[in-house]
Amino acid sequence: MAKRVLITGADGFVGKNLQLHLSERKDVQVTCFTRANAVTDLPALLSGADFVFHLAGVNRPQDPAEFAAGNTDLTHALCEAVARVVRESGRKLPIIYTSSTQAVQGNPYGSSKRGAEEALFDLQRSHGVPVHVFRLPNVFGKWCKPNYNSAVATFCHNTARGLPIQVNDPAAPITLVYIDDVVQRFIDLLDGADTAVDAQGFATVQPQYSTTVGALAAQIQAFKDSRSSLVTERVGTGLVRALYSTYVSYLPVESFAYAVPMHGDARGVFVEMLKTLDSGQFSYFTAHPGITRGGHYHHSKTEKFLVIKGKARFKFRHMHTDETHELVTSGDKAEIVETVPGWTHDITNIGQDEMVVMLWANEVFDRARPDTFACAV
């Protein structure tokens, strides 16, 4: 039987991401509470629920009085409705609440979030309802509203469009948590995972990333610059991975594609696609029928060739022993051919059509020290 969950604030940043993740599951049925609903709708929405994600809140009102109404008062109403479910049916609906690290502050926003926390903990004590209160730091990821309350969203949105950003104090520290990590933790709790809390009893999300506003701005600018330099940042793990995914999500549709230089001559074309900081570069080239490319050796550089289209003959000769080797491969077979230091080598299109070859080299080409020495096979 499907779990029935209620999401308050379902149209917000966290709510949209949570909805998408839950929509991928067949065993979860979602009901939404949004700004279009009235507080009086809560009892009916809760009547069929098994779990509550309480994500609704106010953080940038025009009138500071709205903090209390949108955070504390709404949470009190939710707690009263959940308490009624307990009294009438005995069902104790677990609740996840997205509070904020600002709850320790004495400003109107922090006070309103702290009031909401207290209401939930009171409900837990009085009715035994499982409550998971997350004091989240700055959450970032796709669909967060720019120029609102997220430096990451603003920096990504503006940088992707060539608009200026404002950094008042580059050294100012900032703690970040990625939306996918937040949502995964929420779903783990929905699925019955053990509750992990800190010394104060608040639920936690890991990993959390510590950086500075200046470093954050510089990293996002580096993502933009990589399209012209072709040198990618280390986007495979951790904070840089999450930031890059977020940055790309803010690209306008007209920037989904970008051109790279194409170098052509009588033999065909050569195109560099992507360069890395420490793992070489990717490119491709074409060759017309009968054309031979290469005819050089390397001392340390290595390469991997993959013929995508056409038919190729690779020839090798050992620079010391003169031993030779020859092999043929084609686009009909996914076969990597690797060049070996100390062997001069070339590749010839022996087919009837244009040949297309993908190439990876273990280092970015350095014109000052190319480690490429012409020598016929």
Side-chain angles (χ1 to χ4, degrees):
M1 183 175 178
K3 294 181 181 178
R4 299 163 298 177
V5 305
L6 172 65
I7 304 176
T8 73
D11 288 345
F13 163 46
V14 179
K16 289 176 182 176
N17 279 273
L18 178 60
Q19 281 194 74
L20 182 59
H21 280 266
L22 292 178
S23 72
E24 297 158 6
R25 297 178 50 155
K26 303 298 184 183
D27 61 340
V28 176
Q29 179 181 326
V30 175
T31 300
C32 297
F33 177 93
T34 69
R35 293 183 183 274
N37 292 101
V39 174
T40 53
D41 294 335
L42 284 172
L45 296 175
L46 285 168
S47 64
D50 301 308
F51 202 100
V52 179
F53 294 96
H54 182 30
L55 315 179
V58 173
N59 55 16
R60 279 290 183 93
Q62 294 185 354
D63 181 358
E66 296 178 38
F67 280 127
N71 294 324
T72 307
D73 296 348
L74 176 61
T75 303
H76 272 290
L78 175 68
C79 290
E80 291 172 3
V82 171
R84 186 178 307 143
V85 172
V86 177
R87 291 192 299 268
E88 293 178 355
S89 69
R91 293 187 301 116
K92 299 177 181 181
L93 308 182
I95 302 173
I96 286 177
Y97 177 55
T98 49
S99 186
S100 166
T101 53
Q102 292 294 311
V104 299
Q105 303 297 324
N107 55 51
Y109 173 64
S111 296
S112 68
K113 298 297 278 189
R114 191 165 59 253
E117 294 174 355
E118 292 168 354
L120 287 161
F121 286 131
D122 285 344
L123 175 67
Q124 184 178 49
R125 286 188 292 266
S126 62
H127 290 77
V129 172
V131 169
H132 312 282
V133 176
F134 288 82
R135 281 187 170 178
L136 296 174
N138 298 274
V139 185
F140 72 98
K142 65 182 182 297
W143 304 339
C144 187
K145 186 177 180 180
N147 300 304
Y148 189 59
N149 67 342
S150 167
V152 175
T154 302
F155 289 177
C156 287
H157 175 274
N158 288 16
T159 301
R161 290 161 176 75
L163 301 174
I165 61 173
Q166 181 175 340
V167 178
N168 296 323
D169 180 6
I174 185 171
T175 301
L176 302 169
V177 63
Y178 186 43
I179 185 61
D180 284 5
D181 295 323
V182 173
V183 170
Q184 186 58 58
R185 181 67 181 133
F186 288 179
I187 292 176
D188 287 345
L189 289 171
L190 172 66
D191 290 338
D194 291 337
T195 303
V197 296
D198 62 18
Q200 296 176 299
F202 294 100
T204 59
V205 176
Q206 296 296 333
Q208 295 189 14
Y209 303 105
S210 297
T211 184
T212 64
V213 174
L216 178 64
Q219 181 63 82
I220 292 170
Q221 182 62 46
F223 295 149
K224 180 180 178 66
D225 295 343
S226 69
R227 284 193 167 190
S228 54
S229 70
L230 302 185
V231 179
T232 181
E233 296 294 294
R234 294 184 176 92
V235 297
T237 60
L239 176 60
V240 180
R241 170 185 176 272
L243 283 175
Y244 184 66
S245 175
T246 303
Y247 170 74
V248 171
S249 76
Y250 285 90
L251 290 173
V253 293
E254 59 269 22
S255 296
F256 281 11
Y258 62 102
V260 294
M262 179 178 289
H263 308 282
D265 56 28
R267 299 171 299 170
V269 300
F270 176 76
V271 177
E272 293 176 305
M273 174 190 172
L274 184 71
K275 301 176 183 180
T276 72
L277 294 169
D278 52 16
S279 298
Q281 68 178 55
F282 296 85
S283 56
Y284 81 88
F285 63 86
T286 67
H288 302 305
I291 292 295
T292 297
R293 283 182 173 271
H296 55 237
Y297 67 90
H298 313 293
H299 288 293
S300 299
K301 180 187 295 186
T302 62
E303 301 160 317
K304 296 179 186 289
F305 292 83
L306 175 63
V307 177
I308 305 296
K309 174 188 173 186
K311 190 174 183 180
R313 181 183 65 218
F314 288 85
K315 294 172 66 177
F316 300 85
R317 179 172 59 83
H318 195 283
M319 294 300 297
H320 178 63
T321 66
D322 280 335
E323 177 186 353
T324 61
H325 182 62
E326 182 176 315
L327 61 88
V328 173
T329 187
S330 74
D332 297 330
K333 180 181 180 181
E335 183 176 29
I336 301 291
V337 177
E338 189 150 23
T339 62
V340 179
W343 292 70
T344 188
H345 52 271
D346 63 26
I347 175 174
T348 301
N349 181 354
I350 59 173
Q352 301 300 311
D353 302 311
E354 181 183 58
M355 181 175 66
V356 180
V357 182
M358 182 177 178
L359 168 64
W360 170 82
N362 72 313
E363 59 189 48
V364 173
F365 183 73
D366 181 355
R367 292 187 181 279
R369 301 182 62 184
D371 190 13
T372 301
F373 301 90
C375 183
V377 178

